[in-house]
Amino acid sequence: MPLQESLRDPAQALWDVICPAGEPWMGELHRGQIVRIVDLAGNQAVDTLFYNRHDRKERYSAQATIVAQRALYLTTGSVLMSSEGRPMLTIVADTCGRHDTLGGACSAESNTVRYGHDKGFLHSCRDNFLYATQHCACGQHLGLSKRDLASNINFFMNVPVEGRALRFADGVSAPGKYVELRAEQDVVILISNCPQLNNPCNGYDPTPIRVIAWRAPTD
């Protein structure tokens, strides 16, 4: 797990926001800008999608990313690939060391199948994604809808492959751990700060995250 710390100073950030526990967030990055996602309390899953800021048809591709990295998990040096086979972002710093590409986003349907019919009403990442695309300006600008939701990254989430099955395991993150990415094209970020209460991905206790961005070095 190639851990890499960053020297970037939050005091010099372009913007710095807190995403509350269980809530969605959207933002924009221009090419060359840097974004840091901070796991403030530890063990918080951060479900994340990326889109080309100018064309919603080009979005993060889990399949292309896995093939390009020849690895199921992301860390420093991993390049997130788009559905058009182009680099979208590069992980330039990571103090956690393992981020999931397979576990997907929780939904009413998956909550029902995994945890019982009485859990189907619980808030989910899919609900967050859909809400943000319809209520955030950058989502409305792109015209995002449920047909644009794809397989997402789960930052800080630990989903080992055991035989032919996935296991939602205790996280390997801790308070203050972060992942930092450089945009290789203009992108929109769509985050669900996962509200899941029924598996260890959040330690059964969703907590806030911090999202910080810096200008490109040439800006």
Side-chain angles (χ1 to χ4, degrees):
M1 302 196 309
L3 302 183
Q4 177 66 50
E5 294 189 3
S6 171
L7 298 177
R8 292 179 180 85
D9 182 1
Q12 305 299 320
L14 179 64
W15 41 260
D16 186 346
V17 299
I18 298 294
C19 179
E23 294 299 315
W25 181 87
M26 289 191 80
E28 297 181 347
L29 284 179
H30 295 288
R31 182 180 179 183
Q33 291 181 339
I34 306 290
V35 64
R36 179 187 297 175
I37 302 172
V38 186
D39 186 3
L40 291 174
N43 226 35
Q44 175 60 30
V46 183
D47 295 41
T48 308
L49 287 166
F50 298 97
Y51 299 86
N52 182 313
R53 185 170 172 265
H54 309 289
D55 180 5
R56 73 173 187 272
K57 294 180 182 178
E58 183 174 15
R59 75 280 309 262
Y60 164 76
S61 168
Q63 297 88 341
T65 299
I66 291 169
V67 170
Q69 312 314 306
R70 298 185 178 182
L72 294 178
Y73 307 106
L74 305 176
T75 187
T76 308
S78 297
V79 179
L80 280 54
M81 303 298 291
S82 80
S83 54
E84 301 302 312
R86 300 198 303 150
M88 295 197 84
L89 302 101
T90 300
I91 298 179
V92 295
D94 181 18
T95 61
C96 176
R98 183 180 174 102
H99 306 278
D100 169 62
T101 60
L102 297 178
C106 58
S107 64
E109 293 80 5
S110 66
N111 283 338
T112 299
V113 170
R114 291 174 182 162
Y115 312 117
H117 288 284
D118 62 323
K119 302 298 193 295
F121 70 92
L122 294 177
H123 195 47
S124 70
C125 285
R126 184 173 174 82
D127 291 338
N128 274 345
F129 285 153
L130 291 173
Y131 183 90
T133 60
Q134 301 307 301
H135 292 84
C136 295
C138 45
Q140 294 174 337
H141 168 74
L142 270 180
L144 294 173
S145 69
K146 63 182 179 181
R147 73 179 62 188
D148 299 302
L149 299 185
S151 297
N152 57 282
I153 299 170
N154 292 307
F155 287 116
F156 311 112
M157 192 165 162
N158 183 25
V159 185
V161 178
E162 299 178 344
R164 297 183 180 182
L166 302 179
R167 180 168 65 90
F168 293 89
D170 289 337
V172 295
S173 186
K177 298 289 187 181
Y178 60 82
V179 59
E180 203 169 271
L181 304 100
R182 179 182 65 236
E184 307 297 353
Q185 55 178 265
D186 296 346
V187 296
V188 167
I189 311 167
L190 173 55
I191 285 176
S192 170
N193 190 21
C194 184
Q196 184 58 253
L197 295 169
N198 294 284
N199 72 51
C201 70
N202 295 339
Y204 307 102
D205 181 23
T207 53
I209 60 169
R210 184 180 181 188
V211 188
I212 313 168
W214 288 266
R215 297 184 188 276
T218 54
D219 283 354

